[in-house]
Structure formats: C-alpha cells, structure tokens
Amino acid sequence: MAASSGGIDALRIVLGALDARLRAPVLIVQHTASENGHALCELFAAASVIPVIEAEPRQPIVGGCAYLAPPGYHLLVEAGPRAALSVDDKVCHVRPSADVLFESAADVWRSALIGVVLTGANDDGAAGMLAIRSRKGLGIVQLPDEAEMREMPEAALRLAGADHVLRLAAIGPLLNQLCG
C-alpha cells in the first residue's frame, strides 16, 4: 500500500478494516517528513487488529502483519521473502518510494501481489503499479474524487490502470475477501 498527502487517515481506515485472520503480509509506504517511524507505527497499530511494525533489514515477511517503511529508507522485498532497506537516491522526489517497493515486490510475488495506491500529491506508485499489473498482479486504486490529494491515484490510473477503483471504505473489505 502506498500513500502520501492525506495518507495517514486513509491508511488508518484501510488498516482498521482488515480482518485479524488476514493471511497476506501488508507492506506500507507513507511519505512523511517525520523522522519518527515508531510513532507512525503506533498510530496505525491503534487502528488495526493486525500488528504494524517498522520494517527492519533481512526481516522475514510473514502473513498477518503490516510492515511500514522507515522514514528516509526505501523498503524492498527480497526472495524469502525478506525485507530490505535502502538509502539509494529518492524516486519521484521521495524516500521511501512506492515505486521501489512495488517493483521489488512484483519481482518476488508476481501474480500473487496486490498493489494499493491511495491519496497523494505526486506520481509515486504509478510505475510500480505498472510493474505489478504487467506481472498479472492486481491493482487497487482509491477513487480519485474521494482522495484528499488525487495526484497519486490519477497517475496510477493513467499509467497502469487498475482492476478496482474504490472508495476508501471498500478497500479493506476487498483485501479481506481476496487475501482471506
């Protein structure tokens, strides 16, 4: 899942709708100026029945847990699957970048991956969504008219399209259905 401006509230809604029996892992990129990823994890965890933790290098990625990209680090998925962190150059002017996460996750999970692009004020996530959908993964995009900032959802739809374009309140229930 990826979000930028307006994303904290949007992610709390989606995470809050996830079922405790969710079998899939959830990886999250939230663009933030904050250097305190632990506080963001606590905020998301308060809304979620699944654990929300800050991703660490070489950490195994397991179902039923949400992993947040630490501020200032790209979050990637390696074979295993395991988390990897990088301080490589910013992508779309941000680090962490949804494109980096989505592209690496698409290489590992291919058609088993679901990408979610939420509200945001740039085009991060669009190229990553294209990578997901080109490997037969599913793309879910927040309805741009409902997003606090419509640029990220619109960019994803323009470049990659989506399998589902939904109101925020419908995204979590769909993920439960697809990943239950």
Side-chain angles (χ1 to χ4, degrees), residues 95-116:
R95 186 179 50 233
S97 164
D99 285 336
V100 170
L101 171 60
F102 286 177
E103 289 169 5
S104 68
D107 287 341
V108 171
W109 284 306
R110 307 196 63 75
S111 64
L113 183 63
I114 301 170
V116 179

Side-chain angles (χ1 to χ4, degrees), residues 99 102-103 125-136 156 159-161:
D99 285 336
F102 286 177
E103 289 169 5
M129 183 64 79
L130 183 61
I132 291 169
R133 296 197 74 229
S134 71
R135 289 167 180 85
K136 308 298 184 216
L159 184 63

Side-chain angles (χ1 to χ4, degrees), residues 160-171:
D163 298 286
H164 303 277
V165 180
L166 301 171
R167 294 194 170 282
L168 199 53
I171 294 173

Side-chain angles (χ1 to χ4, degrees), residues 1-177:
M1 283 194 272
S4 188
S5 300
I8 292 174
D9 289 337
L11 284 164
R12 290 182 71 211
I13 290 168
V14 174
L15 289 168
L18 296 179
D19 191 295
R21 296 168 294 179
L22 189 76
R23 294 184 305 201
V26 177
L27 289 88
I28 303 167
V29 164
Q30 165 63 56
H31 303 154
T32 179
S34 170
E35 293 300 317
N36 190 346
H38 294 296
L40 201 52
C41 282
E42 289 175 10
L43 184 67
F44 291 148
S48 176
V49 295
I50 65 170
V52 180
I53 59 174
E54 192 171 85
E56 296 180 8
R58 307 287 305 147
Q59 178 177 38
I61 297 172
V62 298
C65 189
Y67 302 86
L68 178 67
Y73 290 88
H74 292 303
L75 172 60
L76 298 97
V77 178
E78 295 179 335
R82 293 188 178 279
L85 301 178
S86 164
V87 291
D88 286 347
D89 291 342
K90 293 180 178 182
V91 175
C92 296
H93 310 290
V94 293
R95 186 179 50 233
S97 164
D99 285 336
V100 170
L101 171 60
F102 286 177
E103 289 169 5
S104 68
D107 287 341
V108 171
W109 284 306
R110 307 196 63 75
S111 64
L113 183 63
I114 301 170
V116 179
V117 173
L118 304 174
T119 180
N122 64 20
D123 62 353
D124 188 33
M129 183 64 79
L130 183 61
I132 291 169
R133 296 197 74 229
S134 71
R135 289 167 180 85
K136 308 298 184 216
L138 291 177
I140 300 172
V141 175
Q142 181 182 6
L143 183 67
D145 288 345
E146 183 200 51
E148 185 173 323
M149 299 298 290
R150 61 188 303 134
E151 288 85 347
M152 271 178 68
E154 284 180 339
L157 290 172
R158 192 171 45 253
L159 184 63
D163 298 286
H164 303 277
V165 180
L166 301 171
R167 294 194 170 282
L168 199 53
I171 294 173
L174 178 61
L175 291 172
N176 290 330
Q177 178 185 353

